[in-house]
Amino acid sequence: MTSAFIEHINLTVSDPERSAAMVERLFGWRERWRGASRDGGLSIHVGSATGYLAFYTGPDGMHRDVRYPKGEPFNHVGVQVDDLDAVEAQVRALGLLPFGHDDYDPGRRFYFLDHDGIEFEIVAYG
């Protein structure tokens, strides 16, 4: 059996530019690709050498006002970082509200909702 890993997650957002800038700032990720995508929409791929988030919106602002209740269809995107406190400071600087702080074995975590209500869990180990 080969080793499997998640290569990307594709998220529908109201503003791919804003979402891409957010994860670049929070996680130090870089834009890997951008361009036309399904049904005349726009996708921006931002991540590391091994994986990325694809931020998609449909043509002509199709998803600008779309809101998805938390949990439909998933709960959150989990991102592991080295410096939890530094990322939390950046989340606050973006005007977003961290919540659900917890220390547990073996790490620490908090959550935040992005501008589209997508929940992120930020975790640090060790």
Side-chain angles (χ1 to χ4, degrees):
M1 175 179 262
T2 61
S3 176
F5 64 92
I6 295 174
E7 188 255 350
H8 78 273
I9 298 171
N10 189 312
L11 300 168
T12 298
V13 297
S14 60
D15 184 345
E17 296 282 354
R18 177 178 61 195
S19 296
M22 178 189 74
V23 298
E24 287 175 340
R25 180 174 177 175
L26 294 179
F27 310 129
W29 291 347
R30 297 290 170 247
E31 184 175 307
R32 295 174 36 148
W33 180 85
R34 76 167 50 222
S37 58
R38 182 181 171 153
D39 301 326
L42 169 68
S43 286
I44 302 175
H45 298 181
V46 183
S48 67
T50 58
Y52 63 93
L53 296 179
F55 297 110
Y56 165 81
T57 199
D60 302 320
M62 175 185 225
H63 298 102
R64 186 173 301 126
D65 298 319
V66 173
R67 295 295 178 262
Y68 301 97
K70 184 195 169 311
E72 290 184 23
F74 65 93
N75 288 323
H76 57 255
V77 175
V79 179
Q80 182 180 336
V81 299
D82 293 328
D83 188 340
L84 194 70
D85 296 328
V87 173
E88 182 174 356
Q90 289 297 318
V91 167
R92 290 182 186 281
L94 289 169
L96 302 170
L97 181 63
F99 65 92
H101 296 78
D102 193 17
D103 293 349
Y104 64 102
D105 188 21
R108 298 171 46 223
R109 68 176 173 223
F110 72 88
Y111 300 84
F112 73 92
L113 300 175
D114 77 355
H115 298 95
D116 290 299
I118 298 169
E119 185 177 277
F120 285 78
E121 177 184 355
I122 312 304
V123 61
Y125 298 110

